[in-house]
């Protein structure tokens, strides 16, 4: 589906106009909307309250119940801000986006791309994860590609593709990742993957202790880096103040040292770095995600 494909049902058009109108508002106004959304999510709907508080209790067993409750409310406020910030991608100027989201050390990835290499950037649902790819396209001159899972709803698939590609980023459907890398193996670019989703048994996950819990991670970055000699960078993002983010790259693998894809060195390093980032800013992680719904299968 192209970004201009509006083959979604006609009855979604009023929603499209509504969202477009909201996105046209200044972020200062949208944060007022976010405050109302926060109150709705936290106190009226109590959106996934049980999942959020259970995740927090398990991840931070040292915290009291009062601390867990306060952290859950802080997460709702973070989440409400992220929602309006993602919506703003529909209309935000590239100058404003560049001012609000800063990659502090882009030269690490640029150096590898200048050698004609595909760089893997492994990230998570922390901070404003949707701003990472769009910002990367500004820093890397449209050489930013993101692996994503297409949505079944045609309207939301169209809408999210439009948001994600306005700055010049390119999208790669998850099922086509290997085919895409083979086709473009000699193309200098940065390929971003969110690797903190809940990998199921069919994904043959790598299991490790993460936030005090047995956790299964996707292992695609290990296999791709080993097969195609890709440098790998962990992408950390944190809100430094309302509407402003710092993005930091940390090298996990140089792409030159021999690597055994079955050893899961990259995934383990990713898990440890993400764990440190979550502990430093726990309210800025997506706790509403059922990250631990799968259990390890023991033989």
């Amino acid at each position: 589906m192209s970004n201009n494909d509006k083959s979604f049902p006609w009855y979604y058009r009023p929603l499209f106009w509504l969202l477009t109108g909201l996105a046209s508002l200044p972020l200062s106004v949208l944060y007022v909307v976010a405050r109302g959304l926060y109150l709705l999510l936290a106190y009226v709907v109590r959106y996934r309250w049980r999942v959020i508080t259970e995740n927090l209790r398990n991840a931070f067993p040292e915290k009291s119940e009062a601390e867990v409750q306060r952290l859950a409310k802080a997460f709702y406020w973070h989440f409400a801000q992220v929602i309006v910030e993602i919506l703003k991608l529909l209309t935000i100027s590239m100058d404003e986006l560049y001012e609000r989201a800063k990659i502090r050390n882009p030269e690490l990835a640029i150096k590898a791309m200048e050698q004609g290499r595909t760089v893997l950037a492994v990230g998570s649902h922390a901070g404003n994860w949707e701003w990472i790819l769009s910002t990367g396209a500004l820093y890397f001159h449209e050489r930013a590609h993101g692996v994503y899972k297409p949505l079944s709803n045609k309207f939301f698939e169209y809408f999210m593709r439009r948001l994600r590609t306005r700055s010049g980023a390119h999208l790669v459907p998850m099922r086509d990742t290997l085919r895409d890398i083979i086709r473009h193996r000699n193309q200098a670019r940065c390929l971003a993957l969110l690797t903190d989703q809940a990998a199921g048994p069919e994904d043959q996950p790598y299991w490790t202790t993460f936030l005090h819990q047995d956790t299964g991670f996707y292992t695609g970055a290990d296999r791709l880096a080993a097969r195609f000699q890709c440098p790998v960078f962990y992408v950390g993002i944190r809100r430094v103040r309302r509407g402003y983010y710092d993005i930091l790259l940390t090298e996990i693998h140089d792409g030159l040292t021999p690597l055994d894809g079955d050893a899961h060195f990259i995934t383990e390093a990713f898990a440890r770095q993400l764990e440190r980032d979550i502990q430093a800013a726990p309210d800025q992680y997506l706790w509403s995600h059922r990250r631990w719904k799968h259990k390890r299968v023991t033989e």
Side-chain angles (χ1 to χ4, degrees):
M1 178 184 295
S2 71
N3 294 340
N4 296 318
D5 185 357
K6 295 185 180 180
S7 59
F8 53 83
W10 65 268
Y11 46 80
Y12 279 105
R13 290 178 186 172
L15 178 59
F16 175 76
W17 296 330
L18 173 63
L19 294 176
T20 302
L22 285 172
S24 300
L25 298 173
L27 267 172
S28 58
V29 177
L30 285 175
Y31 285 126
V32 176
V33 176
R35 179 60 65 177
L37 186 59
Y38 157 70
L39 295 173
L40 178 67
L41 292 174
Y43 294 98
V44 180
V45 178
R46 291 173 67 85
Y47 172 72
R48 294 197 173 186
W49 175 259
R50 183 176 297 178
V51 173
I52 293 165
T53 52
E54 181 180 347
N55 282 343
L56 289 169
R57 289 187 195 102
N58 293 336
F60 301 100
E62 74 283 1
K63 292 188 181 298
S64 68
E65 184 60 25
E67 290 174 312
V68 168
Q69 300 280 324
R70 285 195 295 269
L71 192 50
K73 298 294 177 58
F75 160 72
Y76 278 123
W77 174 227
H78 161 74
F79 187 46
Q81 292 175 80
V82 168
I83 289 173
V84 300
E85 290 166 354
I86 291 173
L87 178 61
K88 187 61 182 176
L89 283 176
L90 189 66
T91 62
I92 194 170
S93 73
M94 296 304 102
D95 287 342
E96 183 179 1
L97 180 61
Y98 186 81
E99 184 65 28
R100 289 180 173 275
K102 297 289 188 183
I103 302 179
R104 293 302 176 182
N105 52 350
E107 66 278 0
L108 296 183
I110 291 172
K111 180 179 179 181
M113 286 188 281
E114 286 176 344
Q115 298 169 354
R117 311 177 75 185
T118 292
V119 173
L120 298 182
V122 290
S124 69
H125 289 88
N128 186 330
W129 57 93
E130 290 289 352
W131 275 22
I132 295 176
L133 181 62
S134 295
T135 302
L138 301 181
Y139 277 82
F140 304 143
H141 304 293
E142 301 188 3
R143 292 179 295 182
H145 296 234
V147 175
Y148 84 112
K149 185 176 182 180
L151 301 174
S152 58
N153 182 287
K154 289 186 177 181
F155 168 73
F156 288 107
E157 168 68 5
Y158 162 78
F159 192 78
M160 292 306 297
R161 282 187 65 92
R162 182 165 176 165
L163 289 178
R164 290 165 170 165
T165 58
R166 271 195 71 236
S167 66
H170 303 272
L171 296 180
V172 179
M174 185 184 298
R175 64 180 179 273
D176 297 333
T177 304
L178 179 59
R179 186 183 306 115
D180 184 82
I181 289 186
I182 293 174
R183 185 185 303 124
H184 303 290
R185 63 184 308 166
N186 295 320
Q187 180 181 346
R189 61 175 178 157
C190 182
L191 183 64
L193 306 91
L194 291 180
T195 58
D196 65 327
Q197 293 99 326
E202 70 280 3
D203 302 303
Q204 298 182 322
Y206 168 68
W207 290 90
T208 188
T209 300
F210 175 71
L211 294 173
H212 304 283
Q213 299 165 85
D214 203 24
T215 308
F217 285 89
Y218 285 104
T219 60
D222 283 290
R223 296 192 301 272
L224 294 173
R227 179 171 177 178
F228 299 103
Q229 294 78 51
C230 298
V232 182
F233 295 93
Y234 169 85
V235 184
I237 179 171
R238 186 180 302 178
R239 178 186 289 111
V240 293
R241 57 192 174 97
R242 192 180 72 178
Y244 291 84
Y245 293 87
D246 274 352
I247 301 169
L248 190 68
L249 305 180
T250 302
E251 184 181 275
I252 293 179
H253 177 59
D254 60 12
L256 302 174
T257 306
L259 191 66
D260 180 359
D262 294 328
H264 306 118
F265 165 79
I266 290 170
T267 303
E268 177 65 26
F270 167 82
R272 301 284 72 82
Q273 185 65 55
L274 176 58
E275 188 173 56
R276 287 190 289 269
D277 282 358
I278 292 173
Q279 290 167 343
D283 60 308
Q284 294 188 33
Y285 191 60
L286 188 62
W287 296 108
S288 56
H289 182 54
R290 293 184 62 207
R291 182 68 187 82
W292 291 277
K293 63 183 178 180
H294 298 297
K295 302 300 179 183
R296 188 198 298 248
V297 178
T298 56
E299 297 180 358

